Amino acid sequence: MLITAVEPRRKAMCALYIDGEYVMNLDARTVIENRFDVGREIDDEDLHEIIRLSNERRAKEKALWLISYRDHSKKELTDKIKRTCDEESAEKAVERMEELGLVNAEQLLFSKHNAPRGAVRQLVQKGIDRELAEEIIEEIDFDPCDGIRAVIDRKYKNINDEKIRRRAVAALQRLGYGWDDIKTVLREYTEED
C-alpha cells in the first residue's frame, strides 16, 4: 500500500489517502512524528499501529480537555472519552490522568457542598465503590451546618422570602442534609433579621 496524500483537516487532524483513496482521519502530530509521508510504502501492521497511536493521543487530549472544565471520576471520564475513541485508548488515557493525580475521588466532594449522605450517593453514581465512598466520607471532618450556610450564602440571598426558603430547603435535602440541621441554620437567618 502506498500513501498517496496526507491532507490537513480541522482540529489538528489530517486525512490519509492510500492508493488514491481516502482511508481515515488521523491525529496530525502522530502522522508527522511517525513520518507517514506521501510516497511511503506501508503494510497493514503499520496502518494499525498508526491508528492505535492516533487514538491514544486523541484520548489523552480529550481527557485533559474534560478535566480542565471540572473534576471527573475514573468511570465518568472513561465513558465520555469512549464516545470519540476506542475503549482501550480511553482506559489508557484515564490511567495516565490517574497517575498524574488529575482523577481523584476526593476532589469530587469538594467541588460541591454535599452532606455526607449526598456525597456518598454522588460518588456511587460516578462509578466509585460504595464502601470506598463511605470510607472517604468518614475521614473528612464535616460540619453540616457550615455546609448549609455555604449553600445558602452562595445561592439564596433573600432566605426570608417563603418561596426562596422552600426552594432552599428542597435543594439542601437533595444535597443530603437532614431536616434538623436545615431547620437550625434557617433559625439563625431569621434571628439575624
Side-chain angles (χ1 to χ4, degrees):
M1 295 187 294
L2 180 70
I3 298 176
T4 53
V6 178
E7 296 177 357
R9 294 284 190 251
R10 295 184 306 153
K11 298 183 181 179
M13 300 293 284
C14 63
L16 181 67
Y17 290 84
I18 296 177
D19 296 331
E21 292 187 31
Y22 168 80
V23 177
M24 66 179 40
N25 283 336
L26 296 171
D27 177 65
R29 193 165 165 194
T30 305
V31 171
I32 292 168
E33 286 175 357
N34 290 284
R35 307 206 37 106
F36 265 58
D37 301 322
V38 175
R40 177 178 170 185
E41 280 286 332
I42 61 169
D43 57 14
D44 283 340
E45 193 175 299
D46 291 336
L47 184 60
H48 288 296
E49 180 65 15
I50 194 77
I51 292 169
R52 184 187 63 78
L53 292 172
S54 177
N55 283 340
E56 286 178 8
R57 182 181 298 272
R58 290 178 62 203
K60 286 177 187 172
E61 288 175 359
K62 177 83 172 187
L64 285 170
W65 182 78
L66 289 167
I67 289 172
S68 71
Y69 282 95
R70 70 172 181 85
D71 295 323
H72 290 75
S73 71
K74 190 174 179 179
K75 178 188 178 297
E76 183 181 26
L77 195 58
T78 304
D79 290 345
K80 285 187 177 185
I81 296 170
K82 282 194 305 190
R83 293 177 192 164
T84 57
C85 296
D86 62 292
E87 188 171 348
E88 184 180 333
S89 297
E91 288 172 359
K92 279 186 178 180
V94 172
E95 285 173 15
R96 181 65 179 136
M97 298 303 122
E98 197 171 28
E99 287 172 12
L100 295 172
L102 298 174
V103 177
N104 187 345
E106 292 178 24
Q107 290 174 336
L108 291 169
L109 298 177
F110 300 113
S111 62
K112 293 188 177 181
H113 297 285
N114 284 324
R117 187 173 63 208
V120 168
R121 186 181 68 240
Q122 180 187 13
L123 290 174
V124 169
Q125 286 174 344
K126 296 202 180 278
I128 295 168
D129 183 54
R130 179 173 290 282
E131 291 175 10
L132 176 62
E134 289 171 352
E135 233 177 82
I136 293 168
I137 300 300
E138 286 174 12
E139 293 175 6
I140 298 171
D141 183 29
F142 183 78
D143 179 20
C145 292
D146 288 342
I148 292 169
R149 283 186 205 99
V151 171
I152 289 173
D153 292 340
R154 187 172 43 107
K155 286 187 120 179
Y156 304 100
K157 303 295 183 210
N158 188 8
I159 198 69
N160 291 323
D161 180 12
E162 186 62 31
K163 188 175 181 179
I164 293 173
R165 178 187 288 269
R166 274 191 258 130
R167 280 188 190 158
V169 168
L172 290 165
Q173 287 176 330
R174 282 191 302 272
L175 288 173
Y177 292 102
W179 170 243
D180 293 335
D181 294 328
I182 295 170
K183 189 168 53 173
T184 303
V185 173
L186 287 176
R187 272 196 222 118
E188 293 173 12
Y189 281 90
T190 55
E191 288 172 6
E192 289 175 4
D193 291 334

